[in-house]
Amino acid sequence: MQTNKPFTYKIPENLQGQLERGMRVVVPFGKGNRLIQGFIINFKSSSENIDNIKEIDSVLDLEPVLNEEMLEIADWLSKYTFSFKIRCLQVMLPSIMKAKYERKFTYIGEQDEKVKELFSGKSDLLGSDKKVNSSTINKLLQLRKQGKIKVDYIVKNKAKAKLVSVIKTKLSLQEYENELGSIAPNASKQKKLLNTLKEFPVGSKIRQSELREKYNFTNADIKNASEKGWIDVIKVEKYRDPFANYKSYYEKKHKLTQEQSKVVKKLDDDIENDKARVSLLQGVTGSGKTEVYLQVIDTALNQGKAAIVLVPEISLTPQMVKRFRARFGTKVAVLHSGLSIGEKYDEWRRIEREEAQVVVGARSAIFAPLKNLGVIIVDEEHESSYKQDEMPRYNAKDVAKWRGIYHSCPVIFGSATPSLESRARAQKGVYDWLRLTKRVNNQKLPKVQIIDMREAVKTSPIPDFSLKMVNSIQEKLDKKEQIVLLLNRRGYSTFMMCRECGYVIKCPNCDISLTVHLDSRSLKCHYCGYETRIPYECPSCSSKKIRYYGTGTQKIEKELKGLFPQARILRMDVDTTRKKGAHEKLLRTFGDGKADILLGTQMIAKGLDFPNVTFVGVLNADTSLGISDFRASERTFQLLTQVSGRAGRADKDGEVIIQTFNPDHYAIKLAQNHDYENFFYKEMELRHNLNYPPYYYTLKITVSSNSESLTARTIFKINNEVRMNVSKGTIILGPTPQTVTKINNRYYYQIVIKYKKETKLINYLQDLLLSSQRIEREGIQIVIDREPLKFN
Ligand code: ADP
Ligand code: ZN
Ligand code: ZN
């Protein structure tokens, strides 16, 4: 059970004077005195009798891992997002610092034969031992009940810095010359070594591996030199550099366009005057927003301040990182999920020790422990990936604003298609509104054509491709220009259906149809991972007429190969990018011109900046309009605008074709004209009429369990309590089952609360969070989500 409050422990004699707020300690907890990891959040001295208070077992850190700011963030975050405080403390640290626990079984009674066998004659047994499986565990737990063995929990701290050997030169040039004079004339290897060493100033550090590889010295040579007193061999902390293969090059600042200079000047002023203002930088695709970020960061660095740049995980490509490395070199630290936990820890250490001042990363990089922030930038601020899907359900943009105030520094939200919330705040003057209306070098935005698929199917060679699309692709292929094709997969996938009886094959655990995977000839559930072979006949009526419907990237790839046998095609989707580094490799191949067509899902829409791409095709614009979410139009508009922005970024003109069954939908028509402003006004009107954000705040409560009636009973009970605790004007939707009601054999029901101002409700929800602990033991889960970004 998560106990959402601090506990008091005694400081043992041997730790007195050594502990500080923000350090991790190991403490005995609960009736069994299980050892667990805790954080020191405060001290108090007491004259009262403290005999009954437990003692801290041991300390895990020599220095605090959470500073005062982090402790304050955790306080605020736990209240704001209805989360347990321990989760908020943990989310700010590299995952390697979450202690691992291991059970240790020790035999305490007399040995009998059965036990001897279990323990293989030893006196204790670790939970991680190969011999320990679930049946052994049961036997062990039985023995514990009989008082024959005891169980301890050992806390393992995996956060260890990696060390490497380096040599340190000890003598001056003159002293090395003297040594050269005193060695045997035929000791040529030693002579060579001394001649090498004398080139370095006293105290220089050289990696042993460098001495071996570059100068051909052996370990024996080095050992010998150390024994002679020429050098010291020491161990230093080694950082695992994930981008080591990307040799950095230096890049000069661009001379800013007029629009850019105006924006940069305003932001520089904010930095210099310690203004905690939020600015919305609304700039069309290719307008040079990144160049603005780079120059603004430069200003912060010149003032001795640090910077955080958040980018969506998927845009955090080597191409992107390179631009920051090229400007700021080793001052840049990169944090993203592609790193191993060891690599993440190393980057975190570099930030902590103030060796890196510019942090570029995905969502959780917002917690980077930089001490003197000068600016915080959130690129593609409309992206829903800034919101975490699990507790703590925080939005990195809220944390950015919090830290902006704490450090008195500006926060920049950048996007070509801002979220309605941000754009509305800019309208009201809550944020400063900065704009870049033109592409760099006055390059035109690409011309966008819309194809009405209801008509086009009549002449199209195959249903997925209109004739116009086929002709345009061929034209670009002939000109040796590159092509990006988007298959909009949101709320859409390929499924199996029987043409005889209409039966659709669904996941046995979830209320959703299974997705066809042609490469493995299987059907998979994208919610729970269930997998089965593609059947040859209908499981319901045994008809052989069972076919797949809908369009997947694999099917399109096959069709493309048929239409353009000469073209080199790359496919980018969840399947081809699962392996670490695969995403980057595909992009590099395309960037190097080793492919003609890049076919992909949503993940190709963002951030790509390839000068030879002159054509973008959207195969199915509509699918994201169909999802049951009030943001469906906004998401569709954003996607189409972003993907169109990939075309014609250099000196060649770009062209875009969008295929749709809804050619008159405003989200599609306005995307055709890159008309964000009119989209904003139109969408605001709808949101106003339907009482949605940004006119109302939203909050979602979800209940799940593996019994549908228990789930329903619980959500109705909560619903009644909520209704008693809201103010007039607050609107409650539901309770309703979620669109996908059953996932992995659990049933999900929800209510959505739309409100303008609430205090009583917030208090009630804090209580609900605490009571959710109790019923969690009955298998019921309650999730409270403030400002959810998913509503289905
Ligand atoms: P955005 O982030 O708004 O899509 P970028 O910052 O990626 O735009 O800029 C698009 C391209 O223009 C990049 O290749 C960038 O190097 C280049 N660029 C940006 N600003 C300038 C400038 N002032 N002069 C010349 N080139 C620029
Ligand atoms: Zn059938
Ligand atoms: Zn499933």
Side-chain angles (χ1 to χ4, degrees), residues 507-512 514 525-530 742-744:
C507 172
N509 310 319
C510 309
D511 183 21
I512 191 111
L514 292 172
C525 172
H526 285 190
Y527 283 85
C528 75
Y530 173 86
K742 187 176 142 203
I743 300 172
N744 220 349

Side-chain angles (χ1 to χ4, degrees), residues 715-749:
I715 193 82
F716 275 96
K717 183 170 166 285
I718 292 172
N719 179 50
N720 288 338
E721 290 167 0
V722 166
R723 281 172 200 270
M724 285 189 301
N725 282 290
V726 291
S727 33
K728 240 176 55 206
T730 292
I731 303 161
I732 298 165
L733 306 178
T736 50
Q738 269 187 4
T739 318
V740 182
T741 309
K742 187 176 142 203
I743 300 172
N744 220 349
N745 291 317
R746 286 182 79 83
Y747 295 84
Y748 289 81
Y749 277 63

Side-chain angles (χ1 to χ4, degrees), residues 254-257 260 284-291 323 440-441 609 649:
H254 284 293
K255 190 173 174 303
L256 295 178
T257 64
Q260 281 174 322
V284 298
T285 53
S287 60
K289 293 185 289 296
T290 312
E291 184 63 31
R323 287 177 77 178
V440 178
N441 303 332
D609 186 10
R649 291 172 71 87

Side-chain angles (χ1 to χ4, degrees), residues 498 500-503 538 540-543:
C498 172
E500 208 77 56
C501 74
Y503 181 84
C538 171
S540 173
C541 75
S542 299
S543 157

Side-chain angles (χ1 to χ4, degrees), residues 269-446:
D269 273 357
D270 284 354
I271 295 175
E272 278 153 25
N273 299 313
D274 300 325
K275 270 200 204 156
R277 278 297 284 177
V278 180
S279 296
L280 174 65
L281 175 57
Q282 182 179 333
V284 298
T285 53
S287 60
K289 293 185 289 296
T290 312
E291 184 63 31
V292 168
Y293 305 151
L294 291 166
Q295 301 218 4
V296 167
I297 292 167
D298 203 39
T299 306
L301 291 177
N302 288 335
Q303 303 235 326
K305 295 173 184 169
I308 295 178
V309 187
L310 295 188
V311 289
E313 184 70 56
I314 201 76
S315 318
L316 199 52
T317 56
Q319 206 190 2
M320 176 87 182
V321 171
K322 207 163 97 181
R323 287 177 77 178
F324 285 87
R325 285 268 160 101
R327 220 47 89 78
F328 307 117
T330 54
K331 287 188 186 141
V332 179
V334 183
L335 295 171
H336 70 92
S337 67
L339 304 183
S340 72
I341 55 174
E343 288 166 346
K344 267 189 213 152
Y345 174 63
D346 287 348
E347 288 294 80
W348 187 84
R349 292 271 295 155
R350 290 209 308 129
I351 300 163
E352 244 248 306
R353 295 174 152 201
E354 302 185 74
E355 291 170 16
Q357 289 88 31
V358 181
V359 174
V360 183
R363 181 176 60 227
S364 64
I366 195 58
F367 297 116
L370 291 161
K371 293 180 187 82
N372 185 14
L373 279 171
V375 63
I376 303 172
I377 296 159
V378 183
D379 191 28
E380 312 275 8
E381 68 89 33
H382 60 277
E383 272 292 307
S384 55
S385 62
Y386 288 124
K387 178 83 192 274
Q388 177 155 294
D389 261 347
E390 54 181 41
M391 189 189 275
R393 294 184 167 72
Y394 70 94
N395 191 320
K397 287 199 287 180
D398 294 326
V399 183
K401 289 196 268 186
W402 191 98
R403 296 195 76 182
I405 293 167
Y406 186 91
H407 289 268
S408 298
C409 77
V411 174
I412 308 169
F413 290 165
S415 176
T417 52
S419 64
L420 252 70
E421 285 85 345
S422 293
R423 177 63 185 79
R425 285 185 185 131
Q427 188 83 5
K428 282 175 76 177
V430 180
Y431 298 166
D432 292 328
W433 192 27
L434 311 177
R435 298 190 67 185
L436 297 174
T437 57
K438 293 191 216 64
R439 282 188 153 182
V440 178
N441 303 332
N442 283 322
Q443 186 64 38
K444 283 196 298 272
L445 283 165

Side-chain angles (χ1 to χ4, degrees), residues 10 48-54:
K10 239 187 311 199
E48 288 160 39
N49 183 356
I50 56 166
D51 289 347
N52 291 329
I53 294 178
K54 292 176 192 175

